[in-house]
């Protein structure tokens, strides 16, 4: 993937400042919009919910099927369903268009923000571990666990964070097309930077994404 360079300086897409001397990009990409819509904004679950509500309404309504009242009620409910699904699709596409992930030989960088763009730098030195999850469509996500002394703002990360981790938000590289490849690259980058004892372990299920974890046996020093 081509990256903008000025002279000997190297840049991450969307980040105005060049990387420091000795630092270079190993991988960078945007989250996949379709995977965001499916696994983050739950487009399928929303569609199933409204379909169930339509069926239930059709069963309990007292309006004759061929009546004008029935047609109006059905039309309103279908319109509401389409509006909610459209909102989920727009949010997914906007998030994908305005987000960019990068891994350098020293840190993870997340450029986020639909309204207020910002760059979040996560040095390897504050990463305690990571969990990888893959979905049935081949996409997946990489959850980063940070040290207790390091806390990022939940509102700044959303939706690129674990949903229920409010007190100690965990950054998530979401909707990755090749999650296993990205996790392996991150493990190798951390090992090359600090030579920790890093391993990948399967830790069970997280939703419909089987999760694995990367743990470090000693503190990571960048």
């Amino acid at each position: 993937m081509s990256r903008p360079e000025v002279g000997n300086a190297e840049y991450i897409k969307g980040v105005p400042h060049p990387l420091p001397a000795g630092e270079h990009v190993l991988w960078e990409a945007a989250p996949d919009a379709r995977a965001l819509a499916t696994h983050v904004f739950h487009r399928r679950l929303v569609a199933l919910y409204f379909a169930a509500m339509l069926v239930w309404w059709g069963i309990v309504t007292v309006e004759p099927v061929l009546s004008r009242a029935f047609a109006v009620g059905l039309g309103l409910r279908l319109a509401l369903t389409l509006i909610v699904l459209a909102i989920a699709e727009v949010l997914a596409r906007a998030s994908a268009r305005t987000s960019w992930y990068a891994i350098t030989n020293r840190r993870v960088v997340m450029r986020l923000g639909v309204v207020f763009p910002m760059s979040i730098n996560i040095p390897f030195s504050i990463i305690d571990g990571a969990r990888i999850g893959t979905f049935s469509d081949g996409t997946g996500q990489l959850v980063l666990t940070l040290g207790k002394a390091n806390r990022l703002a939940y509102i700044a990360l959303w939706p690129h964070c674990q949903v229920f981790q409010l007190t100690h938000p965990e950054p998530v590289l979401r909707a990755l097309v090749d999650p296993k490849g990205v996790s392996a690259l991150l493990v190798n980058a951390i090992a090359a930077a600090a030579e920790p004892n890093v391993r990948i372990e399967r830790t069970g299920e997280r939703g419909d994404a089987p999760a694995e974890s990367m743990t470090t046996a000693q503190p990571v020093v960048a």
Side-chain angles (χ1 to χ4, degrees), residues 90-110:
V90 169
L91 287 173
R93 291 183 179 275
S95 295
R97 188 178 65 253
T98 58
S99 302
W100 193 258
Y101 305 142
I103 298 175
T104 75
N105 58 322
R106 295 180 181 175
R107 55 181 162 155
V108 176
V109 180
M110 305 172 72

Side-chain angles (χ1 to χ4, degrees), residues 8-221:
N8 294 325
E10 187 174 359
Y11 290 77
I12 295 172
K13 180 180 177 180
V15 179
H17 306 293
L19 294 175
E23 185 173 3
H24 57 275
V25 176
L26 303 174
W27 170 88
E28 57 181 348
D32 181 75
R34 181 175 297 181
L36 279 177
T38 301
H39 304 299
V40 178
F41 296 100
H42 304 291
R43 176 177 55 187
R44 293 174 183 171
L45 290 178
V46 171
L48 287 173
Y49 170 80
F50 279 99
M53 291 299 99
L54 282 172
V55 171
W56 176 250
W57 174 79
I59 293 173
V60 301
T61 184
V62 297
E63 302 294 342
V65 175
L66 299 179
S67 67
R68 185 174 183 276
F70 182 89
V72 171
L74 179 61
L76 289 174
R77 286 164 175 79
L78 287 174
L80 177 61
T81 300
L82 293 176
I83 289 172
V84 174
L85 289 174
I87 290 173
E89 187 70 25
V90 169
L91 287 173
R93 291 183 179 275
S95 295
R97 188 178 65 253
T98 58
S99 302
W100 193 258
Y101 305 142
I103 298 175
T104 75
N105 58 322
R106 295 180 181 175
R107 55 181 162 155
V108 176
V109 180
M110 305 172 72
R111 183 176 63 81
L112 312 173
V114 176
V115 180
F116 301 106
M118 66 182 71
S119 298
I120 298 175
N121 297 295
I122 307 174
F124 293 160
S125 58
I126 69 172
I127 298 177
D128 277 357
R131 298 188 302 275
I132 174 179
T134 56
F135 297 98
S136 58
D137 59 5
T139 63
Q141 60 189 26
L142 188 61
V143 183
L144 304 179
T145 303
L146 307 184
K148 295 297 183 182
N150 302 281
R151 185 178 182 276
L152 299 175
Y154 186 92
I155 191 64
L157 286 171
W158 188 89
H160 309 270
C161 57
Q162 286 290 77
V163 177
F164 300 111
Q165 294 289 341
L166 299 177
T167 58
H168 194 73
E170 294 179 329
V172 183
L173 305 186
R174 292 197 179 275
L176 302 176
V177 176
D178 181 20
K180 292 185 178 181
V182 175
S183 67
L185 183 146
L186 179 60
V187 169
N188 292 334
I190 292 177
E195 299 182 358
N197 182 13
V198 179
R199 62 187 183 275
I200 292 288
E201 295 178 339
R202 186 170 298 277
T203 58
E205 301 291 329
R206 300 183 64 84
D208 63 341
E212 297 176 335
S213 69
M214 175 189 73
T215 59
T216 57
Q218 60 189 60
V220 180
V221 181

